[in-house]
Amino acid sequence: MNILRLLNRSDYIQINNQLIKPEFMHASEDYADEDDVALEASLNGSELVLTVAELEDATPLSDGGYWLESVGYIRFLSQTSLH
């Protein structure tokens, strides 16, 4: 599945071992530019900002997560998947 579609359908994001609710997450699946900001969140007191290009360069993993060189493990979760 397209990583941008997963991003747009998620309520939470797991980054490494932390579950966060981002301040902003959205990217047009059809009209996104590589330098568009797709995700903004606070992580360990610092601001995390990911662009469309960074997300599209992520390596898919067998458990449904992704590996980003700049962040580590990232997984998109919906509220229903947490119950």
Side-chain angles (χ1 to χ4, degrees):
M1 180 175 273
N2 180 313
I3 193 167
L4 298 179
R5 184 172 296 143
L6 287 173
L7 170 79
N8 291 330
R9 291 182 179 177
S10 66
D11 298 306
Y12 299 93
I13 301 208
Q14 177 185 350
I15 298 178
N16 298 315
N17 290 326
Q18 293 187 319
L19 187 65
I20 60 170
K21 176 115 175 113
E23 288 91 37
F24 173 80
M25 59 180 179
H26 177 76
S28 170
E29 296 168 36
D30 299 320
Y31 303 107
D33 290 326
E34 288 186 350
D35 59 345
D36 287 350
V37 172
L39 172 71
E40 291 181 5
S42 294
L43 183 64
N44 296 329
S46 3
E47 192 68 22
L48 172 68
V49 177
L50 296 174
T51 64
V52 169
E54 289 171 306
L55 288 176
E56 289 181 335
D57 284 343
T59 304
L61 302 172
S62 61
D63 67 352
Y66 291 84
W67 182 260
L68 287 168
E69 289 299 322
S70 62
V71 175
Y73 181 84
I74 187 168
R75 187 171 185 169
F76 303 99
L77 303 166
S78 68
Q79 194 158 1
T80 56
S81 67
L82 295 175
H83 292 296

